[in-house]
Amino acid sequence: MALIVHKYGGTSMGSTERIRNVAKRVAKWHRAGHQMVVVPSAMSGETNRLLGLAKELAPAKASAAYERELDMLASTGEQASSALLAIALQAEGLDSVSYAGWQVPIRTNNAYTKARIESIDDTRVRADLSAGKVVIVTGFQGMDEQGNITTLGRGGSDTSAVAVAAAMKAQECLIYTDVDGVYTTDPRVVPEARRLKTVSFEEMLEMASLGSKVLQIRSVEFAGKYRVPLRVLSSFTPWDMDIVQEATSGTLITFEEDEHMEQAVVSGIAFNRDEAKIALRGVPDKPGIAYQILGAVAQANIDVDMIIQNVSKDGRTDFSFTVNRGDYAKAMDLLRNDVMKGLGVEDIVGDTKICKVSIVGIGMRSHVGIASKMFRALSEEGINIQMISTSEIKTSVVIDEKYIELAVRSLHKAFDLDQPPVAA
Ligand code: ADP
Ligand code: ASP
Ligand code: MG
């Protein structure tokens, strides 16, 4: 008998019929002798619907008070789907109980809309499991020190599930979703994308941080920190399929290199439409300038991604960086009203119609010429590169948003990702 955590995403919980299927699948695992904790997302579209309502009524300027209410609101989506799943399990003849984040409790910091989990008290859940119950824990939410409800950022139910699995030392955390695993790139954009049987933790971390929304980045971080065995698999297989077959389907995130691992140089392509570029022109080129600009941005709790400073001319330079699109207006406001004037910057321009495309692979460590192959493939399509950043196992470029699909498809082809890698 093992303790297993299942997570079901929004599409998998998208209707009462689908929730019934989830209940039947969970009941099968329970009857096979496992202790089951299940973490559901809100029914598909529900979080967007709720946040859309808030937007209609929102004050002109966002504040912590407003963001608190966003979390109060958005967290109700998971509360509803969790109760529905508990009811569906009861209809299957099982004892089942659902808990909101604050009832567990799952404690977080107080960064509304993007809170981080700090601790989980599993006493209550363990007692229920020992009593033979299936326990449902709401995804996406927690509670801060003052008892306020917080949410964990979009896609945060993945993180709830992995954090619960880590806290309870579960044997495995299974992420059930609407695709049957992690692919070489988003199969909705490239139909030839290939499912990976295994993907290394490091590659998964890069892919998630660079925009592959199949797993939220923090869930991968948790899995790495606590060595949680993690698998991504489909919730659309027949619920009564053989459990051993099901348990070995999908994609396993691996922590050690083993002989089963694919030996590709580039394992996957990620892309992100959520960035915006800000360029400050005619910045006086003197020590401390980067700190004065980016320090102010960081103080406003805005993450900066890529940064470029051009060669200076006549004592002035251009300084560009990217931020999350959701933070763009706030960053522009801050730079225009506070930072720019004091620094004597000539001009500031922004562009929200950009995207970032990245190639990822641990094989890039030991191979040269991979980035240039990427640049060639893009140039052959006439795609202009605006920014570049590299690390040991990835190369990212910023390009015009309108070329995103063309870029991803041509890179997928250039690196032969539709074919299994040739043995090294
Ligand atoms: P859930 O609601 O189950 O959490 P998400 O929509 O958050 O599901 O994530 C699953 C989606 O991630 C897939 O439908 C797919 O379009 C997208 N995706 C992006 N990159 C990848 C990838 N490399 N492999 C698989 N799916 C990907
Ligand atoms: N319901 C939340 C969202 O839509 C969390 C999740 O689905 O993981 O972002
Ligand atoms: Mg998701």
Side-chain angles (χ1 to χ4, degrees), residues 275-277 303-306 320-324 354 387 398:
E275 293 204 19
K277 189 171 81 170
D303 285 334
V304 168
D305 183 20
M306 287 190 185
S320 314
F321 56 92
T322 61
V323 296
N324 192 290
I354 58 149
M387 294 171 116
V398 167

Side-chain angles (χ1 to χ4, degrees), residues 300-356:
N301 218 352
I302 298 170
D303 285 334
V304 168
D305 183 20
M306 287 190 185
I307 305 166
I308 287 186
Q309 183 174 340
N310 290 355
V311 178
S312 73
K313 205 175 155 213
D314 306 326
R316 289 192 176 265
T317 181
D318 293 342
F319 192 87
S320 314
F321 56 92
T322 61
V323 296
N324 192 290
R325 229 176 259 188
D327 289 328
Y328 173 73
K330 190 171 160 191
M332 286 295 268
D333 259 6
L334 174 83
L335 292 164
R336 277 212 179 98
N337 299 330
D338 301 333
V339 180
M340 242 178 94
K341 287 182 189 137
L343 289 182
V345 174
E346 283 166 5
D347 190 16
I348 176 167
V349 284
D351 185 356
T352 53
K353 298 217 162 13
I354 58 149
C355 66
K356 184 169 76 174

